[in-house]
């Protein structure tokens, strides 16, 4: 007899949602994670009374009411609205590209003036069949917006020049002819009061959790414990990289406690010039309207992923998509193993996508 109905590898958002649904269905689960904490990359930790997003900024946003109501069972969400600004050589611009941005760039005041300016630039520089990201982006928004707010940031993020990146990475660039600085179009948006770790802790309540446990180091031992496995780690690593490693972009974080109340006046400031090595600075207290006497900031540096690094962003190109398909075929033959989440499915998920995917997975398997 197996001890557990489900072994869930990974105590992040996907694993926590599945564990919660499995518990409701009367299943006995064990959740393990190789890290020393739960909540995966949405892990928050209190520093100087401030909830610090240890693996980069996470703003929950969704238009799916079922998902919003679901996470609301495990946390109270505040009214935080994501309104990042871009710093280009000391000039400050609003993101997304809106009327505030266009006024700063060209002095235009009305939406009609902004439209005409963008259209004239697009017509002047448009390429009928863009061969790379640079040509695609200029065809969408013209050279002024592209060179100041897209080019440097994108090249840092992907570690390649824009002329070397495929055009399909940018299908569209959000252009808004209003003075609204809200980055997202979604109906619901906010940050859990007290941090994401508490939310995930509530999801895992009543489920056995073991930390500092590496499934791949004890595979046979763990497989013997459970009837089924939900695996949220890297699919290529699960299969011993037998077809080669999938590519990712990784990140390095530099976090500082500063003896001042307010460092940059906003939770997220993007640095869009290529010469600045980090892509953004996060000031964590602004996610929860903090008034603490000190502040905590994090600089975020993109970097090339190597084995042993934390993988953050799957490389969105045809070569890796083809390689993932090979691993997917192996996964289908694993029988009682479910591959889920951004690493198990080699797909970039926002948090709401992760919750939705985990709920759908639970519906399909918890019968």
């Amino acid at each position: 007899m197996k001890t557990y109905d489900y072994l869930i590898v990974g105590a992040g958002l996907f694993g926590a949602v599945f564990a919660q649904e499995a518990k409701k269905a009367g299943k006995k689960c064990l959740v393990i994670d190789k890290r020393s904490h739960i909540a995966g990359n949405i892990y928050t930790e209190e520093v100087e009374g401030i909830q610090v997003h240890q693996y980069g900024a996470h703003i929950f946003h969704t238009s799916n009411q079922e998902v919003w109501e679901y996470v609301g069972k495990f946390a109270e969400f505040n009214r935080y609205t994501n309104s990042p600004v871009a710093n280009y050589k000391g000039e400050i611009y609003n993101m997304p590209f809106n009327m505030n941005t266009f006024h700063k760039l060209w002095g235009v005041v009305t939406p009609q003036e902004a439209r005409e300016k963008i259209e004239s630039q697009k017509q002047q520089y448009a390429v009928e069949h863009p061969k790379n990201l640079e040509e695609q982006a200029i065809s969408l928004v013209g050279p002024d917006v592209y060179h100041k707010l897209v080019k440097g940031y994108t090249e840092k993020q992907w570690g390649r020049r824009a002329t070397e990146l495929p055009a399909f990475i940018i299908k569209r660039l959000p252009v808004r002819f209003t003075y609204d600085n809200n980055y997202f179009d979604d109906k619901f948006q906010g940050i859990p009061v007290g941090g994401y770790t508490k939310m995930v802790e509530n999801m895992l309540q009543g489920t056995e959790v073991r930390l500092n446990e590496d499934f791949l180091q004890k595979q046979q031992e763990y497989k013997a414990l459970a009837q089924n496995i939900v695996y949220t780690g890297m699919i290529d690593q699960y299969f011993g990289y037998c077809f080669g490693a999938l590519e990712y972009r990784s990140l390095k974080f530099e976090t500082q406690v500063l003896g001042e109340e307010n460092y940059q006046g906003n939770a997220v400031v993007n640095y869009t010039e290529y010469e600045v090595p980090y892509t953004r600075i996060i000031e964590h207290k602004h996610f929860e309207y903090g008034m603490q006497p000190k502040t905590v900031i994090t600089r975020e540096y993109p970097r090339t992923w190597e084995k042993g690094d934390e993988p953050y962003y799957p490389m969105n190109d045809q070569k890796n998509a083809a390689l993932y398909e090979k691993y997917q075929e192996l996964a289908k033959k694993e029988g009682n193993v479910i591959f889920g989440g951004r690493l198990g499915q080699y797909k970039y998920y926002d948090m709401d996508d992760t919750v939705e995917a985990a709920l759908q997975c639970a519906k399909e398997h918890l019968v």
Side-chain angles (χ1 to χ4, degrees):
M1 289 291 292
K2 304 275 188 175
T3 308
Y4 301 95
D5 296 303
Y6 284 90
L7 168 70
I8 300 168
V9 182
L13 190 55
F14 189 100
V17 170
F18 190 95
Q20 170 66 208
E21 294 305 291
K23 186 186 76 170
K24 283 175 9 189
K27 306 295 184 183
K28 188 176 181 183
C29 297
L30 170 63
V31 177
I32 64 171
D33 201 294
K34 65 181 180 181
R35 288 176 172 170
S36 60
H37 59 75
I38 62 169
N41 286 351
I42 63 171
Y43 173 67
T44 52
E45 184 176 8
E46 188 172 311
V47 179
E48 297 290 344
I50 299 163
Q51 289 295 327
V52 173
H53 297 215
Q54 294 288 352
Y55 299 95
H58 287 86
I59 298 104
F60 202 99
H61 59 98
T62 186
S63 293
N64 186 324
Q65 187 159 348
E66 180 189 358
V67 167
W68 183 246
E69 290 175 355
Y70 185 84
V71 294
K73 296 174 186 175
F74 306 100
E76 174 192 353
F77 280 76
N78 68 16
R79 58 179 181 81
Y80 178 79
T81 299
N82 188 31
S83 303
V85 296
N87 184 318
Y88 176 78
K89 298 185 177 180
E91 299 171 0
I92 300 298
Y93 296 91
N94 285 105
M95 306 280 288
F97 315 134
N98 64 10
M99 286 303 300
N100 291 311
T101 315
F102 307 143
H103 177 71
K104 182 72 180 284
L105 281 169
W106 307 307
V108 298
V109 175
T110 67
Q112 182 62 28
E113 290 175 313
R115 287 180 192 276
E116 289 173 357
K117 184 69 176 178
I118 291 173
E119 284 305 313
S120 70
Q121 288 204 346
K122 285 168 62 174
Q123 287 175 17
Q124 187 176 352
Y125 292 94
V127 176
E128 187 175 350
H129 300 293
K131 297 188 290 293
N132 56 55
L133 185 146
E134 181 163 295
E135 292 181 352
Q136 171 80 342
I138 291 175
S139 297
L140 291 169
V141 293
D144 288 355
V145 173
Y146 168 70
H147 283 293
K148 288 194 172 185
L149 302 176
V150 178
K151 179 179 168 65
Y153 188 95
T154 303
E155 290 180 340
K156 288 188 288 188
Q157 189 74 11
W158 291 103
R160 299 181 197 169
R161 291 298 186 180
T163 51
E164 299 168 359
L165 289 165
F168 68 79
I169 287 181
I170 293 184
K171 293 183 174 66
R172 67 183 185 89
L173 285 167
V175 175
R176 297 183 190 165
F177 297 97
T178 69
Y179 287 92
D180 182 4
N181 292 326
N182 179 6
Y183 190 79
F184 298 121
D185 288 325
D186 290 307
K187 184 177 179 181
F188 308 106
Q189 184 174 175
I191 303 277
V193 176
Y196 285 99
T197 302
K198 184 65 179 173
M199 181 184 82
V200 174
E201 191 177 289
N202 290 337
M203 289 178 175
L204 291 171
Q205 197 166 25
T207 298
E208 184 182 348
V209 178
R210 299 180 193 173
L211 301 175
N212 300 303
E213 290 289 331
D214 189 336
F215 170 79
L216 295 177
Q217 296 296 321
K218 303 178 181 178
Q219 240 183 104
Q220 297 311 312
E221 178 183 328
Y222 273 117
K223 283 182 175 178
L225 287 177
Q227 295 281 358
N228 304 283
I229 295 169
V230 177
Y231 185 80
T232 68
M234 295 163 60
I235 189 170
D236 53 342
Q237 187 180 30
Y238 179 92
F239 291 109
Y241 304 108
C242 63
F243 298 128
L246 291 162
E247 292 179 283
Y248 299 86
R249 289 294 286 166
S250 193
L251 295 168
K252 182 183 77 170
F253 302 102
E254 284 183 357
T255 298
Q256 288 178 279
V257 178
L258 302 178
E260 56 188 289
E261 186 181 337
N262 187 354
Y263 175 74
Q264 64 185 17
N266 206 47
V268 182
V269 177
N270 291 349
Y271 285 78
T272 59
E273 62 189 281
Y274 185 78
E275 292 71 22
V276 175
Y278 43 86
T279 49
R280 57 185 179 174
I281 297 179
I282 312 301
E283 188 167 9
H284 302 268
K285 71 190 306 177
H286 296 305
F287 289 130
E288 296 194 55
Y289 314 102
M291 301 295 290
Q292 297 88 347
K294 294 184 179 181
T295 193
V296 183
I297 65 167
T298 300
R299 290 180 177 84
E300 196 169 295
Y301 298 81
R303 64 185 199 180
T304 302
W305 175 85
E306 295 177 358
K307 287 180 184 178
D309 294 339
E310 180 62 30
Y312 287 93
Y313 304 108
M315 290 296 286
N316 186 11
D317 60 25
Q318 292 172 338
K319 181 182 80 170
N320 284 284
L323 184 56
Y324 169 64
E325 282 184 18
K326 291 185 176 182
Y327 284 115
Q328 214 176 7
E329 288 304 310
L330 285 184
K332 290 174 185 175
K333 300 171 184 173
E334 280 296 280
N336 66 334
V337 182
I338 302 162
F339 291 84
R342 65 188 175 88
L343 301 182
Q345 297 178 331
Y346 195 65
K347 182 177 182 181
Y348 182 76
Y349 278 125
D350 279 329
M351 286 179 287
D352 61 324
D353 299 324
T354 302
V355 172
E356 188 175 353
L359 289 173
Q360 183 59 37
C361 182
K363 284 177 187 173
E364 290 173 5
H365 293 279
L366 297 172
V367 290

